[in-house]
Amino acid sequence: MHIFHITTRRQWQAAQPNGRYFPSPAEGFVHCSRADQVLAVAERFYKGQSGLVLLVIDPQRLTSELKWEAPSDESASATGPFPHVYGPINLEAVVRVLDFEADADGNFSLPPLA
């Protein structure tokens, strides 16, 4: 089962020379989602943004620790635990990078994942 992370194409490209992706080291982990959580996360945190990509991550290839944790926001608690990667995501763990743009109305739809 893959996990997913939304980011900007610019952040993803900046990670290439380093061999790892770690957008906010101060936070200590990278927020990820299950496939069924991606659209809710996009609507809540990325509305109105463009230039986004969806990283498809194979958890078995991660070199950093993966933890499944309940959301800190009670309104999101019905979605169940979220995958958090504690440390950088090594590029070898990212098996696909998909364009992830909202439509003309600002709504996101999940790209084909297979």
Side-chain angles (χ1 to χ4, degrees):
M1 177 178 77
H2 292 129
I3 60 173
F4 304 87
H5 176 73
I6 303 168
T7 189
T8 64
R9 183 167 298 283
R10 182 179 303 187
Q11 282 184 311
W12 174 243
Q13 289 172 339
Q16 302 307 301
N18 302 323
R20 63 192 195 132
Y21 170 81
F22 203 30
S24 55
E27 193 166 16
F29 65 90
V30 180
H31 293 270
C32 294
S33 304
R34 299 184 321 253
D36 64 315
Q37 297 169 322
V38 170
L39 292 179
V41 169
E43 292 295 327
R44 183 166 182 187
F45 297 105
Y46 295 92
K47 194 119 180 121
Q49 294 186 40
S50 61
L52 299 176
V53 295
L54 184 64
L55 305 182
V56 182
I57 302 163
D58 181 345
Q60 299 205 4
R61 295 184 183 186
L62 286 169
T63 56
S64 294
E65 182 179 11
L66 174 65
K67 294 182 182 180
W68 292 85
E69 299 177 314
S72 57
D73 181 351
E74 281 187 34
S75 66
S77 63
T79 64
F82 282 84
H84 293 155
V85 179
Y86 277 81
I89 295 175
N90 52 304
L91 299 187
E92 299 81 19
V94 179
V95 296
R96 292 180 68 201
V97 178
L98 305 170
D99 288 330
F100 193 59
E101 296 291 341
D103 64 19
D105 295 325
N107 299 311
F108 288 95
S109 59
L110 207 55
L113 301 177

